[in-house]
Amino acid sequence: MRMPGLESGLRRARQRSGLKQAELAVRAGISRQTLSALEAGRAQPSTAIALNLARALGCRVEELFWLREEGEVIRTGLASPARGSRRVLAGRVAGRWVAHPLRLDDPLSVITPADALLARGRLRLLRPRESVEANVLISGCDPGLAVLAGRVADRWAGQRLCWIGASSAAALASLARGEAHVAGAHLFDESAREFNVPFVRRALANRPMVVVTFAHLEEGFAVAPGNPRRIRKPEDIARPDVRFVNREPGAGARRLLDRLLRKAKVPTSAVKGYDRLLGGHLQVAQAVAMGAADAGVVARSAAVAHGLHFVPLSEERFDLVFPKEWSGDPRAARMVETLEGRAFRRELASLGGYDTRQSGHLVTELP
């Protein structure tokens, strides 16, 4: 049997630590030449050297060196229909392999590296098995999740947080089915006057869960630059000259729109395009930017990303939800630590429409 090769994340881990080769070599008790060879993959470390390097860099050995079996094939089902896509994100949730197709209708999927290719009902891995197993699968709709993924990867070499686009309700359902480690949601319960927690209770059937704040975000109408249709309030989208594009049922933006239309006593049948559905903030903003619609409800960051005018409607709390049993996993601690970090908060706030003062705050533990 062919032995798998040894992959190395040593150089990247050293660079992130800010150490020069000579400095790390001294701390690990090896020569700079040996360290250079290990970083270049020209040599393999002994157990003692690997342990010393991990201690010097403050990380796990698995983050520095791992075995790779090229093109390993695994069996697993798909969390959603492939619909022509062969590229997937994958990971292990509660000991079970899970795969999510990178949707062809998602503009971000083109720039998202896949973990595996779908072939005859199986997955052929494109990355080391150990690396894919370490993935954190996070389902949700807010574009800011991409910032969280980037900050996690920056801080912990080899750690990948995979953002899977989904409405808030779909994200909670995915978490309940064991298809994700984390779900993101911004759903307001009118009777309880509370964000997210009542929906978590219902979707997760009183399973022990942790709810942590991602950020507060602004939602409103994305309209063309200069707002030529003069759309300023919910009643305006019921005018016959306004073409609207909506989010799917279960989306926080859809629930917000329905709530505001009821308050304004505007029937949904009066909104041209109410039944025209797209699957994300960025997709809705893109439709408006292309002139295919005059308005849609999005997070401010999505409107800004497409150069659109934004009409604020509401501030909502976007939370991250994960099983209490997973809270002891180092990956959960890394995610929350990143949320609390200054770099993440500053970058997310710079996108526009985010209040990050409570990012990482524990909302509740259920039940």
Side-chain angles (χ1 to χ4, degrees), residues 101-327:
L102 285 162
R103 293 171 10 207
L104 296 177
D105 62 345
D106 183 351
L108 291 180
S109 69
V110 178
I111 59 173
T112 301
D115 293 312
L117 295 178
L118 183 64
R120 299 179 181 177
R122 300 182 182 182
L123 299 181
R124 185 171 295 278
L125 296 182
L126 300 172
R127 302 174 60 231
R129 182 188 181 104
E130 294 83 357
S131 297
V132 179
E133 286 181 329
N135 281 349
V136 174
L137 304 180
I138 181 166
S139 183
C141 65
D142 188 73
L145 291 173
V147 176
L148 178 62
R151 285 292 147 202
V152 168
D154 262 356
R155 190 159 185 183
W156 287 280
Q159 180 63 73
R160 188 181 188 197
L161 190 153
C162 300
W163 172 28
I164 299 148
S167 71
S168 295
L172 291 175
S174 182
L175 183 65
R177 294 191 298 267
E179 296 170 351
H181 298 95
V182 185
H186 60 108
L187 297 167
F188 184 68
D189 187 291
E190 294 183 74
S191 59
R193 307 300 298 173
E194 185 176 13
F195 278 103
N196 302 320
V197 175
F199 295 90
V200 175
R201 291 186 190 277
R202 291 193 287 269
L204 279 303
N206 293 318
R207 287 167 50 190
M209 289 285 153
V210 177
V211 183
V212 174
T213 296
F214 178 82
H216 287 76
L217 58 90
E218 277 189 283
E219 287 212 309
F221 291 131
V223 298
N227 195 5
R229 298 289 186 189
R230 300 294 185 263
I231 297 170
R232 297 186 176 89
K233 55 188 184 299
E235 296 92 320
D236 292 337
I237 66 171
R239 297 200 316 255
D241 64 325
V242 174
R243 299 164 301 154
F244 191 74
V245 63
N246 208 353
R247 288 288 308 281
E248 70 274 39
R254 169 72 169 259
R255 292 184 65 88
L256 170 62
L257 175 69
D258 289 349
R259 187 165 73 245
L260 294 177
L261 289 177
R262 284 196 302 271
K263 186 176 180 180
K265 298 182 180 180
V266 175
T268 58
S269 59
V271 179
K272 183 179 179 181
Y274 181 85
D275 294 324
R276 183 184 174 195
L277 309 180
L278 290 178
H281 293 279
L282 293 171
Q283 288 89 330
V284 169
Q286 183 181 49
V288 175
M290 294 175 62
D294 298 310
V297 177
V298 301
R300 180 186 284 271
S301 59
V304 171
H306 284 84
L308 299 172
H309 183 80
F310 181 77
V311 180
L313 295 172
S314 175
E315 180 178 277
E316 309 220 320
R317 195 184 74 219
F318 186 70
D319 291 332
L320 299 183
V321 184
F322 51 89
K324 193 171 182 179
E325 63 188 26
W326 191 69
S327 63

Side-chain angles (χ1 to χ4, degrees), residues 289-367:
M290 294 175 62
D294 298 310
V297 177
V298 301
R300 180 186 284 271
S301 59
V304 171
H306 284 84
L308 299 172
H309 183 80
F310 181 77
V311 180
L313 295 172
S314 175
E315 180 178 277
E316 309 220 320
R317 195 184 74 219
F318 186 70
D319 291 332
L320 299 183
V321 184
F322 51 89
K324 193 171 182 179
E325 63 188 26
W326 191 69
S327 63
D329 191 298
R331 294 172 294 176
R334 291 170 185 164
M335 181 182 70
V336 174
E337 186 177 333
T338 302
L339 289 171
E340 296 171 337
R342 185 174 298 177
F344 166 77
R345 293 186 178 197
R346 285 180 174 175
E347 182 177 3
L348 188 66
S350 74
L351 296 180
Y354 291 101
D355 182 344
T356 61
R357 287 175 292 181
Q358 291 187 314
S359 295
H361 169 73
L362 176 65
V363 176
T364 189
E365 293 187 2
L366 300 172

